Amino acid sequence: MTQRKRRVDRPASIVDSDRVMLTTSFTRLVGCTAPIQLAGMPMIASPELAAAVSNAGGLGMVGGARLTPDALGQLLDSVAKLTARPFGVNFIMHFHHDPACVEVAAAKAKVVEFFYATPRADLVALAHQGRALVSWQVGSRDEAVAAEQAGCDFIVAQGIEAGGHVRGKIGLLPLLGEVLDAVKCPVLAAGGIGTPRALAAVLAAGAAGARLGTRFVAAAESGAHPRYVESLLSASAADTIHTEAFSVMWPDAPHRVLKSCIKAAEELDDEIAGHLTLFGQTIPLLRFAVPAPSRATTGHIEAMAMYAGESVGAVTKIQSASEIIEELIDGAEARLKSCSRS
């Protein structure tokens, strides 16, 4: 992507040259050049994918769920070997039990992020002690206020359109409006964003950036199983469903997946859907288990949790992370420039 001159303290939609500069409070805070954050999808957001997103100007993320401090340190070291740019780690609170993991993350990553629980000031303070920035992905106005009061540096507002596990209960744009009116820190938008038009829309609505997952599952550097990627390539928004079907290991946690994987799991005779190899250990995956099929997964791939947001229609081909980010940024810039001239 062509290097862009950065402009400070100007909203993204103001034009004073031939190009719109997508410099926001988020990019200034984190040190990115593109207002895009990768969702921290365990096993899918591989070190290669996280580093590629960071190298392309966004904020690469990896998932820290269910990892020991040593394993997490190895994972983050793998990312650091591939990029000198900022990256972060996401903790899903249902699987987070060891404060030492937060300490490791804060020492090695620029951003420590938490998801799916009431924001906790003690965890935010622990990450800040390691000089990391802290974010919390939320699904409501009240959670956003609690996150800011807990000391978070920025917030991710997740709408019900999102793939993977979903905290939001309403559409992204209504939620984004409520959150932006309630907090002062930078807010990223998440859920159903996969095109330049959608990125431009949330930036124009006041978001400081966007968090994307589904679009990057099909990136060349993704850790997703090839059959998972193939399923996304042929899917549309109508092929996704908000459900609690894949609840083994994490009950009562709504998520959005492809409808086809639920049908395949229901028809599966075996209670073991497959196996996952992680850090030298092979783990059996029960039918309707939480993990998405990665390159380290074997078995009935079509019957595993194929998470997909309503942006899945934008997944039409396998591209590198840099190509995806360039397409999103160039397209969003063009649309914002056009709107400013109307």
Side-chain angles (χ1 to χ4, degrees), residues 6 22-38 50 53-54 57-61 83-89 109-113 131-136 152-156 185-188 208-210:
R6 300 183 66 186
L22 298 188
T23 297
T24 71
S25 55
F26 166 73
T27 61
R28 292 191 292 270
L29 175 69
V30 177
C32 298
T33 57
I36 292 175
Q37 180 196 34
L38 171 68
V53 169
S54 292
L59 178 64
M61 300 286 294
T83 183
R85 309 279 305 174
F87 64 89
V89 59
K110 181 65 176 284
V111 173
V112 175
E113 179 180 82
R131 299 192 176 183
L133 297 170
V134 183
S135 67
W136 209 291
C152 288
D153 299 287
F154 67 94
I155 292 166
V156 182
C185 65
V187 177
L188 302 190

mmCIF file of all heavy atoms in Angstrom, residues 6 22-38 50 53-54 57-61 83-89 109-113 131-136 152-156 185-188 208-210:
data_model
loop_
_atom_site.group_PDB
_atom_site.id
_atom_site.type_symbol
_atom_site.label_atom_id
_atom_site.label_comp_id
_atom_site.label_asym_id
_atom_site.label_seq_id
_atom_site.Cartn_x
_atom_site.Cartn_y
_atom_site.Cartn_z
ATOM 1 N N ARG A 6 0.317 11.198 7.367
ATOM 2 C CA ARG A 6 -0.618 11.129 8.474
ATOM 3 C C ARG A 6 -1.037 12.528 8.896
ATOM 4 O O ARG A 6 -0.238 13.448 8.980
ATOM 5 C CB ARG A 6 0.013 10.393 9.661
ATOM 6 C CG ARG A 6 0.403 8.977 9.322
ATOM 7 C CD ARG A 6 0.939 8.276 10.522
ATOM 8 N NE ARG A 6 -0.115 8.123 11.519
ATOM 9 C CZ ARG A 6 0.105 7.642 12.731
ATOM 10 N NH1 ARG A 6 1.309 7.283 13.070
ATOM 11 N NH2 ARG A 6 -0.887 7.505 13.580
ATOM 12 N N LEU A 22 -7.222 8.190 6.508
ATOM 13 C CA LEU A 22 -7.934 7.453 7.531
ATOM 14 C C LEU A 22 -7.101 7.357 8.807
ATOM 15 O O LEU A 22 -6.815 6.282 9.320
ATOM 16 C CB LEU A 22 -8.297 6.061 7.014
ATOM 17 C CG LEU A 22 -9.238 6.037 5.800
ATOM 18 C CD1 LEU A 22 -9.689 4.621 5.506
ATOM 19 C CD2 LEU A 22 -10.453 6.927 6.039
ATOM 20 N N THR A 23 -6.720 8.524 9.295
ATOM 21 C CA THR A 23 -6.056 8.617 10.587
ATOM 22 C C THR A 23 -7.132 8.917 11.618
ATOM 23 O O THR A 23 -7.895 9.862 11.466
ATOM 24 C CB THR A 23 -4.995 9.734 10.582
ATOM 25 O OG1 THR A 23 -3.983 9.415 9.636
ATOM 26 C CG2 THR A 23 -4.369 9.901 11.950
ATOM 27 N N THR A 24 -7.204 8.102 12.642
ATOM 28 C CA THR A 24 -8.245 8.243 13.653
ATOM 29 C C THR A 24 -7.620 8.226 15.042
ATOM 30 O O THR A 24 -6.423 7.995 15.204
ATOM 31 C CB THR A 24 -9.257 7.085 13.565
ATOM 32 O OG1 THR A 24 -8.625 5.881 14.014
ATOM 33 C CG2 THR A 24 -9.768 6.895 12.137
ATOM 34 N N SER A 25 -8.448 8.421 16.051
ATOM 35 C CA SER A 25 -7.956 8.344 17.426
ATOM 36 C C SER A 25 -7.402 6.954 17.731
ATOM 37 O O SER A 25 -6.463 6.804 18.526
ATOM 38 C CB SER A 25 -9.083 8.698 18.403
ATOM 39 O OG SER A 25 -10.229 7.885 18.184
ATOM 40 N N PHE A 26 -7.941 5.929 17.091
ATOM 41 C CA PHE A 26 -7.440 4.562 17.287
ATOM 42 C C PHE A 26 -6.057 4.387 16.665
ATOM 43 O O PHE A 26 -5.147 3.850 17.307
ATOM 44 C CB PHE A 26 -8.418 3.552 16.679
ATOM 45 C CG PHE A 26 -7.864 2.166 16.531
ATOM 46 C CD1 PHE A 26 -7.685 1.359 17.642
ATOM 47 C CD2 PHE A 26 -7.527 1.666 15.275
ATOM 48 C CE1 PHE A 26 -7.157 0.066 17.508
ATOM 49 C CE2 PHE A 26 -7.018 0.378 15.137
ATOM 50 C CZ PHE A 26 -6.834 -0.415 16.258
ATOM 51 N N THR A 27 -5.872 4.817 15.432
ATOM 52 C CA THR A 27 -4.565 4.634 14.787
ATOM 53 C C THR A 27 -3.487 5.436 15.506
ATOM 54 O O THR A 27 -2.356 4.974 15.642
ATOM 55 C CB THR A 27 -4.604 5.042 13.297
ATOM 56 O OG1 THR A 27 -4.952 6.424 13.176
ATOM 57 C CG2 THR A 27 -5.620 4.207 12.531
ATOM 58 N N ARG A 28 -3.832 6.631 15.991
ATOM 59 C CA ARG A 28 -2.853 7.427 16.734
ATOM 60 C C ARG A 28 -2.511 6.763 18.063
ATOM 61 O O ARG A 28 -1.350 6.752 18.484
ATOM 62 C CB ARG A 28 -3.379 8.841 16.965
ATOM 63 C CG ARG A 28 -3.497 9.679 15.690
ATOM 64 C CD ARG A 28 -3.764 11.135 16.017
ATOM 65 N NE ARG A 28 -5.076 11.327 16.603
ATOM 66 C CZ ARG A 28 -6.193 11.569 15.914
ATOM 67 N NH1 ARG A 28 -6.138 11.622 14.579
ATOM 68 N NH2 ARG A 28 -7.334 11.758 16.524
ATOM 69 N N LEU A 29 -3.506 6.221 18.726
ATOM 70 C CA LEU A 29 -3.293 5.581 20.023
ATOM 71 C C LEU A 29 -2.410 4.349 19.910
ATOM 72 O O LEU A 29 -1.454 4.160 20.679
ATOM 73 C CB LEU A 29 -4.650 5.195 20.630
ATOM 74 C CG LEU A 29 -4.633 4.394 21.943
ATOM 75 C CD1 LEU A 29 -4.128 5.270 23.085
ATOM 76 C CD2 LEU A 29 -6.024 3.851 22.256
ATOM 77 N N VAL A 30 -2.718 3.490 18.940
ATOM 78 C CA VAL A 30 -2.056 2.188 18.829
ATOM 79 C C VAL A 30 -0.772 2.267 18.002
ATOM 80 O O VAL A 30 0.145 1.474 18.194
ATOM 81 C CB VAL A 30 -3.042 1.157 18.233
ATOM 82 C CG1 VAL A 30 -2.374 -0.194 18.024
ATOM 83 C CG2 VAL A 30 -4.248 0.994 19.156
ATOM 84 N N GLY A 31 -0.711 3.204 17.069
ATOM 85 C CA GLY A 31 0.456 3.307 16.205
ATOM 86 C C GLY A 31 0.284 2.574 14.892
ATOM 87 O O GLY A 31 1.268 2.138 14.281
ATOM 88 N N CYS A 32 -0.982 2.445 14.453
ATOM 89 C CA CYS A 32 -1.275 1.813 13.164
ATOM 90 C C CYS A 32 -1.389 2.868 12.076
ATOM 91 O O CYS A 32 -1.478 4.063 12.355
ATOM 92 C CB CYS A 32 -2.599 1.044 13.238
ATOM 93 S SG CYS A 32 -2.598 -0.304 14.419
ATOM 94 N N THR A 33 -1.429 2.429 10.831
ATOM 95 C CA THR A 33 -1.694 3.338 9.726
ATOM 96 C C THR A 33 -3.030 3.044 9.064
ATOM 97 O O THR A 33 -3.458 3.788 8.189
ATOM 98 C CB THR A 33 -0.575 3.242 8.669
ATOM 99 O OG1 THR A 33 -0.469 1.895 8.211
ATOM 100 C CG2 THR A 33 0.755 3.698 9.255
ATOM 101 N N ALA A 34 -3.689 1.968 9.481
ATOM 102 C CA ALA A 34 -5.014 1.624 8.959
ATOM 103 C C ALA A 34 -5.947 1.352 10.139
ATOM 104 O O ALA A 34 -5.577 0.623 11.058
ATOM 105 C CB ALA A 34 -4.942 0.377 8.073
ATOM 106 N N PRO A 35 -7.150 1.913 10.143
ATOM 107 C CA PRO A 35 -8.073 1.737 11.273
ATOM 108 C C PRO A 35 -8.794 0.389 11.225
ATOM 109 O O PRO A 35 -10.023 0.310 11.185
ATOM 110 C CB PRO A 35 -9.047 2.907 11.105
ATOM 111 C CG PRO A 35 -9.106 3.122 9.633
ATOM 112 C CD PRO A 35 -7.710 2.830 9.124
ATOM 113 N N ILE A 36 -8.004 -0.680 11.214
ATOM 114 C CA ILE A 36 -8.541 -2.039 11.112
ATOM 115 C C ILE A 36 -7.876 -2.915 12.160
ATOM 116 O O ILE A 36 -6.648 -2.938 12.284
ATOM 117 C CB ILE A 36 -8.294 -2.626 9.705
ATOM 118 C CG1 ILE A 36 -9.141 -1.883 8.667
ATOM 119 C CG2 ILE A 36 -8.592 -4.117 9.674
ATOM 120 C CD1 ILE A 36 -8.859 -2.317 7.238
ATOM 121 N N GLN A 37 -8.707 -3.635 12.912
ATOM 122 C CA GLN A 37 -8.213 -4.598 13.888
ATOM 123 C C GLN A 37 -8.653 -5.995 13.469
ATOM 124 O O GLN A 37 -9.806 -6.211 13.112
ATOM 125 C CB GLN A 37 -8.765 -4.299 15.289
ATOM 126 C CG GLN A 37 -8.278 -5.278 16.354
ATOM 127 C CD GLN A 37 -9.096 -5.223 17.632
ATOM 128 O OE1 GLN A 37 -10.298 -4.985 17.596
ATOM 129 N NE2 GLN A 37 -8.450 -5.434 18.768
ATOM 130 N N LEU A 38 -7.730 -6.927 13.514
ATOM 131 C CA LEU A 38 -8.055 -8.326 13.274
ATOM 132 C C LEU A 38 -8.716 -8.904 14.516
ATOM 133 O O LEU A 38 -8.257 -8.656 15.631
ATOM 134 C CB LEU A 38 -6.775 -9.103 12.963
ATOM 135 C CG LEU A 38 -6.877 -10.628 12.879
ATOM 136 C CD1 LEU A 38 -7.705 -11.054 11.670
ATOM 137 C CD2 LEU A 38 -5.487 -11.250 12.834
ATOM 138 N N ALA A 50 -1.679 -12.638 12.016
ATOM 139 C CA ALA A 50 -1.575 -11.457 12.877
ATOM 140 C C ALA A 50 -0.443 -10.546 12.408
ATOM 141 O O ALA A 50 -0.606 -9.319 12.308
ATOM 142 C CB ALA A 50 -1.352 -11.883 14.325
ATOM 143 N N VAL A 53 -1.321 -8.744 9.089
ATOM 144 C CA VAL A 53 -2.229 -7.619 9.292
ATOM 145 C C VAL A 53 -1.462 -6.423 9.864
ATOM 146 O O VAL A 53 -1.631 -5.283 9.423
ATOM 147 C CB VAL A 53 -3.397 -8.016 10.221
ATOM 148 C CG1 VAL A 53 -4.193 -6.791 10.664
ATOM 149 C CG2 VAL A 53 -4.318 -9.005 9.512
ATOM 150 N N SER A 54 -0.616 -6.667 10.844
ATOM 151 C CA SER A 54 0.174 -5.581 11.422
ATOM 152 C C SER A 54 1.120 -4.973 10.400
ATOM 153 O O SER A 54 1.254 -3.751 10.303
ATOM 154 C CB SER A 54 0.965 -6.097 12.630
ATOM 155 O OG SER A 54 0.108 -6.434 13.703
ATOM 156 N N GLY A 57 -0.398 -2.466 8.197
ATOM 157 C CA GLY A 57 -0.856 -1.213 8.801
ATOM 158 C C GLY A 57 -1.967 -1.348 9.803
ATOM 159 O O GLY A 57 -2.305 -0.372 10.484
ATOM 160 N N GLY A 58 -2.582 -2.541 9.914
ATOM 161 C CA GLY A 58 -3.647 -2.738 10.885
ATOM 162 C C GLY A 58 -3.102 -3.230 12.214
ATOM 163 O O GLY A 58 -1.889 -3.252 12.443
ATOM 164 N N LEU A 59 -4.016 -3.624 13.104
ATOM 165 C CA LEU A 59 -3.618 -4.193 14.379
ATOM 166 C C LEU A 59 -3.883 -5.689 14.336
ATOM 167 O O LEU A 59 -5.027 -6.142 14.405
ATOM 168 C CB LEU A 59 -4.405 -3.562 15.538
ATOM 169 C CG LEU A 59 -4.101 -4.134 16.926
ATOM 170 C CD1 LEU A 59 -2.653 -3.863 17.327
ATOM 171 C CD2 LEU A 59 -5.060 -3.584 17.982
ATOM 172 N N GLY A 60 -2.824 -6.478 14.200
ATOM 173 C CA GLY A 60 -2.954 -7.926 14.219
ATOM 174 C C GLY A 60 -3.244 -8.420 15.622
ATOM 175 O O GLY A 60 -2.769 -7.830 16.605
ATOM 176 N N MET A 61 -4.014 -9.483 15.726
ATOM 177 C CA MET A 61 -4.388 -10.045 17.023
ATOM 178 C C MET A 61 -4.258 -11.566 16.977
ATOM 179 O O MET A 61 -4.458 -12.179 15.931
ATOM 180 C CB MET A 61 -5.834 -9.693 17.386
ATOM 181 C CG MET A 61 -6.142 -8.214 17.496
ATOM 182 S SD MET A 61 -5.477 -7.430 18.986
ATOM 183 C CE MET A 61 -6.435 -8.242 20.272
ATOM 184 N N THR A 83 6.982 -9.499 12.794
ATOM 185 C CA THR A 83 6.613 -8.097 12.623
ATOM 186 C C THR A 83 7.223 -7.242 13.724
ATOM 187 O O THR A 83 7.376 -7.704 14.864
ATOM 188 C CB THR A 83 5.089 -7.902 12.625
ATOM 189 O OG1 THR A 83 4.788 -6.519 12.378
ATOM 190 C CG2 THR A 83 4.457 -8.301 13.962
ATOM 191 N N ALA A 84 7.573 -6.016 13.359
ATOM 192 C CA ALA A 84 8.018 -5.035 14.338
ATOM 193 C C ALA A 84 6.900 -4.043 14.637
ATOM 194 O O ALA A 84 7.098 -3.084 15.381
ATOM 195 C CB ALA A 84 9.258 -4.300 13.825
ATOM 196 N N ARG A 85 5.734 -4.279 14.059
ATOM 197 C CA ARG A 85 4.587 -3.389 14.207
ATOM 198 C C ARG A 85 3.754 -3.803 15.427
ATOM 199 O O ARG A 85 3.890 -4.923 15.927
ATOM 200 C CB ARG A 85 3.729 -3.438 12.955
ATOM 201 C CG ARG A 85 4.464 -3.223 11.648
ATOM 202 C CD ARG A 85 4.704 -1.782 11.355
ATOM 203 N NE ARG A 85 3.473 -1.003 11.365
ATOM 204 C CZ ARG A 85 3.421 0.312 11.240
ATOM 205 N NH1 ARG A 85 4.542 0.986 11.095
ATOM 206 N NH2 ARG A 85 2.269 0.951 11.250
ATOM 207 N N PRO A 86 2.861 -2.929 15.895
ATOM 208 C CA PRO A 86 2.021 -3.278 17.046
ATOM 209 C C PRO A 86 1.104 -4.460 16.756
ATOM 210 O O PRO A 86 0.578 -4.604 15.657
ATOM 211 C CB PRO A 86 1.190 -1.996 17.270
ATOM 212 C CG PRO A 86 1.960 -0.901 16.619
ATOM 213 C CD PRO A 86 2.638 -1.533 15.442
ATOM 214 N N PHE A 87 0.917 -5.311 17.768
ATOM 215 C CA PHE A 87 -0.055 -6.401 17.692
ATOM 216 C C PHE A 87 -0.630 -6.623 19.080
ATOM 217 O O PHE A 87 -0.155 -6.043 20.070
ATOM 218 C CB PHE A 87 0.580 -7.684 17.137
ATOM 219 C CG PHE A 87 1.674 -8.276 17.990
ATOM 220 C CD1 PHE A 87 1.378 -9.195 18.990
ATOM 221 C CD2 PHE A 87 3.001 -7.927 17.791
ATOM 222 C CE1 PHE A 87 2.377 -9.747 19.774
ATOM 223 C CE2 PHE A 87 4.006 -8.470 18.571
ATOM 224 C CZ PHE A 87 3.698 -9.384 19.573
ATOM 225 N N GLY A 88 -1.661 -7.458 19.160
ATOM 226 C CA GLY A 88 -2.315 -7.658 20.444
ATOM 227 C C GLY A 88 -2.764 -9.081 20.657
ATOM 228 O O GLY A 88 -2.630 -9.942 19.779
ATOM 229 N N VAL A 89 -3.298 -9.333 21.867
ATOM 230 C CA VAL A 89 -3.796 -10.656 22.231
ATOM 231 C C VAL A 89 -5.169 -10.504 22.878
ATOM 232 O O VAL A 89 -5.409 -9.565 23.634
ATOM 233 C CB VAL A 89 -2.812 -11.390 23.168
ATOM 234 C CG1 VAL A 89 -2.570 -10.600 24.445
ATOM 235 C CG2 VAL A 89 -3.316 -12.789 23.498
ATOM 236 N N ALA A 109 2.955 -7.733 24.082
ATOM 237 C CA ALA A 109 2.035 -7.211 23.070
ATOM 238 C C ALA A 109 1.689 -5.760 23.362
ATOM 239 O O ALA A 109 1.717 -5.323 24.508
ATOM 240 C CB ALA A 109 0.758 -8.057 23.028
ATOM 241 N N LYS A 110 1.344 -5.023 22.323
ATOM 242 C CA LYS A 110 0.975 -3.616 22.491
ATOM 243 C C LYS A 110 -0.419 -3.483 23.091
ATOM 244 O O LYS A 110 -0.695 -2.544 23.841
ATOM 245 C CB LYS A 110 1.010 -2.916 21.110
ATOM 246 C CG LYS A 110 0.674 -1.421 21.142
ATOM 247 C CD LYS A 110 1.715 -0.640 21.907
ATOM 248 C CE LYS A 110 1.458 0.872 21.864
ATOM 249 N NZ LYS A 110 1.831 1.472 20.568
ATOM 250 N N VAL A 111 -1.312 -4.437 22.748
ATOM 251 C CA VAL A 111 -2.702 -4.369 23.199
ATOM 252 C C VAL A 111 -3.101 -5.680 23.869
ATOM 253 O O VAL A 111 -2.823 -6.758 23.344
ATOM 254 C CB VAL A 111 -3.660 -4.090 22.017
ATOM 255 C CG1 VAL A 111 -5.119 -4.202 22.454
ATOM 256 C CG2 VAL A 111 -3.388 -2.710 21.426
ATOM 257 N N VAL A 112 -3.744 -5.565 25.023
ATOM 258 C CA VAL A 112 -4.355 -6.708 25.700
ATOM 259 C C VAL A 112 -5.863 -6.464 25.689
ATOM 260 O O VAL A 112 -6.332 -5.419 26.131
ATOM 261 C CB VAL A 112 -3.850 -6.858 27.146
ATOM 262 C CG1 VAL A 112 -4.594 -7.987 27.865
ATOM 263 C CG2 VAL A 112 -2.348 -7.113 27.164
ATOM 264 N N GLU A 113 -6.591 -7.438 25.173
ATOM 265 C CA GLU A 113 -8.035 -7.267 24.990
ATOM 266 C C GLU A 113 -8.796 -8.372 25.728
ATOM 267 O O GLU A 113 -8.349 -9.522 25.781
ATOM 268 C CB GLU A 113 -8.368 -7.329 23.502
ATOM 269 C CG GLU A 113 -9.844 -7.196 23.191
ATOM 270 C CD GLU A 113 -10.090 -7.258 21.698
ATOM 271 O OE1 GLU A 113 -10.146 -8.382 21.153
ATOM 272 O OE2 GLU A 113 -10.197 -6.191 21.082
ATOM 273 N N ARG A 131 2.482 -1.926 30.787
ATOM 274 C CA ARG A 131 2.526 -0.849 29.794
ATOM 275 C C ARG A 131 1.834 -1.193 28.488
ATOM 276 O O ARG A 131 2.164 -0.645 27.429
ATOM 277 C CB ARG A 131 3.974 -0.415 29.537
ATOM 278 C CG ARG A 131 4.653 0.127 30.790
ATOM 279 C CD ARG A 131 5.959 0.819 30.480
ATOM 280 N NE ARG A 131 6.531 1.395 31.688
ATOM 281 C CZ ARG A 131 7.653 2.111 31.718
ATOM 282 N NH1 ARG A 131 8.331 2.320 30.594
ATOM 283 N NH2 ARG A 131 8.102 2.614 32.851
ATOM 284 N N ALA A 132 0.886 -2.112 28.559
ATOM 285 C CA ALA A 132 0.076 -2.410 27.381
ATOM 286 C C ALA A 132 -1.156 -1.525 27.365
ATOM 287 O O ALA A 132 -1.627 -1.061 28.420
ATOM 288 C CB ALA A 132 -0.354 -3.874 27.391
ATOM 289 N N LEU A 133 -1.669 -1.270 26.173
ATOM 290 C CA LEU A 133 -2.988 -0.670 26.041
ATOM 291 C C LEU A 133 -4.020 -1.759 26.282
ATOM 292 O O LEU A 133 -3.764 -2.940 26.034
ATOM 293 C CB LEU A 133 -3.166 -0.078 24.643
ATOM 294 C CG LEU A 133 -2.233 1.075 24.268
ATOM 295 C CD1 LEU A 133 -2.367 1.388 22.781
ATOM 296 C CD2 LEU A 133 -2.531 2.314 25.110
ATOM 297 N N VAL A 134 -5.208 -1.366 26.747
ATOM 298 C CA VAL A 134 -6.231 -2.348 27.081
ATOM 299 C C VAL A 134 -7.538 -2.000 26.387
ATOM 300 O O VAL A 134 -7.968 -0.840 26.384
ATOM 301 C CB VAL A 134 -6.474 -2.418 28.601
ATOM 302 C CG1 VAL A 134 -7.494 -3.509 28.922
ATOM 303 C CG2 VAL A 134 -5.173 -2.686 29.342
ATOM 304 N N SER A 135 -8.164 -3.019 25.794
ATOM 305 C CA SER A 135 -9.491 -2.843 25.205
ATOM 306 C C SER A 135 -10.420 -3.925 25.737
ATOM 307 O O SER A 135 -9.976 -4.956 26.240
ATOM 308 C CB SER A 135 -9.440 -2.902 23.674
ATOM 309 O OG SER A 135 -9.097 -4.196 23.229
ATOM 310 N N TRP A 136 -11.706 -3.664 25.620
ATOM 311 C CA TRP A 136 -12.721 -4.648 26.016
ATOM 312 C C TRP A 136 -13.786 -4.650 24.930
ATOM 313 O O TRP A 136 -14.266 -3.587 24.527
ATOM 314 C CB TRP A 136 -13.357 -4.275 27.348
ATOM 315 C CG TRP A 136 -13.837 -5.468 28.118
ATOM 316 C CD1 TRP A 136 -14.874 -6.285 27.803
ATOM 317 C CD2 TRP A 136 -13.276 -5.989 29.328
ATOM 318 N NE1 TRP A 136 -15.013 -7.283 28.734
ATOM 319 C CE2 TRP A 136 -14.038 -7.126 29.691
ATOM 320 C CE3 TRP A 136 -12.203 -5.612 30.152
ATOM 321 C CZ2 TRP A 136 -13.773 -7.890 30.827
ATOM 322 C CZ3 TRP A 136 -11.935 -6.361 31.276
ATOM 323 C CH2 TRP A 136 -12.710 -7.488 31.614
ATOM 324 N N CYS A 152 -10.236 1.175 30.461
ATOM 325 C CA CYS A 152 -9.849 0.738 29.118
ATOM 326 C C CYS A 152 -9.454 1.915 28.241
ATOM 327 O O CYS A 152 -10.039 2.998 28.326
ATOM 328 C CB CYS A 152 -10.995 -0.035 28.459
ATOM 329 S SG CYS A 152 -11.258 -1.670 29.166
ATOM 330 N N ASP A 153 -8.472 1.683 27.389
ATOM 331 C CA ASP A 153 -7.992 2.736 26.490
ATOM 332 C C ASP A 153 -8.864 2.874 25.253
ATOM 333 O O ASP A 153 -8.959 3.955 24.678
ATOM 334 C CB ASP A 153 -6.553 2.418 26.075
ATOM 335 C CG ASP A 153 -5.630 2.358 27.270
ATOM 336 O OD1 ASP A 153 -5.321 3.425 27.829
ATOM 337 O OD2 ASP A 153 -5.238 1.241 27.663
ATOM 338 N N PHE A 154 -9.456 1.779 24.810
ATOM 339 C CA PHE A 154 -10.455 1.840 23.752
ATOM 340 C C PHE A 154 -11.416 0.678 23.914
ATOM 341 O O PHE A 154 -11.200 -0.227 24.728
ATOM 342 C CB PHE A 154 -9.823 1.884 22.350
ATOM 343 C CG PHE A 154 -9.090 0.646 21.914
ATOM 344 C CD1 PHE A 154 -9.715 -0.339 21.159
ATOM 345 C CD2 PHE A 154 -7.741 0.477 22.212
ATOM 346 C CE1 PHE A 154 -9.031 -1.464 20.727
ATOM 347 C CE2 PHE A 154 -7.041 -0.654 21.785
ATOM 348 C CZ PHE A 154 -7.688 -1.623 21.040
ATOM 349 N N ILE A 155 -12.525 0.741 23.162
ATOM 350 C CA ILE A 155 -13.615 -0.222 23.306
ATOM 351 C C ILE A 155 -13.985 -0.734 21.924
ATOM 352 O O ILE A 155 -13.907 0.003 20.934
ATOM 353 C CB ILE A 155 -14.837 0.457 23.970
ATOM 354 C CG1 ILE A 155 -14.524 0.803 25.435
ATOM 355 C CG2 ILE A 155 -16.079 -0.423 23.890
ATOM 356 C CD1 ILE A 155 -15.527 1.754 26.052
ATOM 357 N N VAL A 156 -14.409 -1.986 21.854
ATOM 358 C CA VAL A 156 -14.943 -2.566 20.620
ATOM 359 C C VAL A 156 -16.424 -2.838 20.841
ATOM 360 O O VAL A 156 -16.789 -3.585 21.748
ATOM 361 C CB VAL A 156 -14.228 -3.866 20.238
ATOM 362 C CG1 VAL A 156 -14.792 -4.412 18.926
ATOM 363 C CG2 VAL A 156 -12.718 -3.654 20.131
ATOM 364 N N CYS A 185 -13.669 7.474 25.079
ATOM 365 C CA CYS A 185 -12.502 6.807 24.501
ATOM 366 C C CYS A 185 -12.813 6.323 23.081
ATOM 367 O O CYS A 185 -13.981 6.241 22.696
ATOM 368 C CB CYS A 185 -12.077 5.637 25.382
ATOM 369 S SG CYS A 185 -13.276 4.295 25.486
ATOM 370 N N PRO A 186 -11.799 6.008 22.292
ATOM 371 C CA PRO A 186 -12.039 5.518 20.929
ATOM 372 C C PRO A 186 -12.884 4.243 20.932
ATOM 373 O O PRO A 186 -12.729 3.386 21.808
ATOM 374 C CB PRO A 186 -10.630 5.244 20.396
ATOM 375 C CG PRO A 186 -9.743 6.131 21.202
ATOM 376 C CD PRO A 186 -10.354 6.166 22.566
ATOM 377 N N VAL A 187 -13.756 4.136 19.942
ATOM 378 C CA VAL A 187 -14.647 2.981 19.819
ATOM 379 C C VAL A 187 -14.473 2.364 18.434
ATOM 380 O O VAL A 187 -14.577 3.060 17.418
ATOM 381 C CB VAL A 187 -16.121 3.386 20.017
ATOM 382 C CG1 VAL A 187 -17.037 2.172 19.809
ATOM 383 C CG2 VAL A 187 -16.338 3.989 21.399
ATOM 384 N N LEU A 188 -14.192 1.062 18.394
ATOM 385 C CA LEU A 188 -14.166 0.331 17.141
ATOM 386 C C LEU A 188 -15.508 -0.344 16.930
ATOM 387 O O LEU A 188 -16.186 -0.717 17.886
ATOM 388 C CB LEU A 188 -13.065 -0.730 17.145
ATOM 389 C CG LEU A 188 -11.625 -0.284 17.370
ATOM 390 C CD1 LEU A 188 -10.675 -1.442 17.081
ATOM 391 C CD2 LEU A 188 -11.266 0.913 16.527
ATOM 392 N N ALA A 208 -13.851 4.822 15.418
ATOM 393 C CA ALA A 208 -12.432 5.116 15.205
ATOM 394 C C ALA A 208 -11.741 4.022 14.415
ATOM 395 O O ALA A 208 -10.545 4.120 14.130
ATOM 396 C CB ALA A 208 -11.730 5.307 16.548
ATOM 397 N N GLY A 209 -12.498 2.995 14.053
ATOM 398 C CA GLY A 209 -11.942 1.890 13.290
ATOM 399 C C GLY A 209 -12.918 0.739 13.264
ATOM 400 O O GLY A 209 -14.033 0.841 13.780
ATOM 401 N N ALA A 210 -12.493 -0.354 12.650
ATOM 402 C CA ALA A 210 -13.356 -1.527 12.526
ATOM 403 C C ALA A 210 -12.583 -2.779 12.879
ATOM 404 O O ALA A 210 -11.390 -2.900 12.585
ATOM 405 C CB ALA A 210 -13.911 -1.638 11.110
#
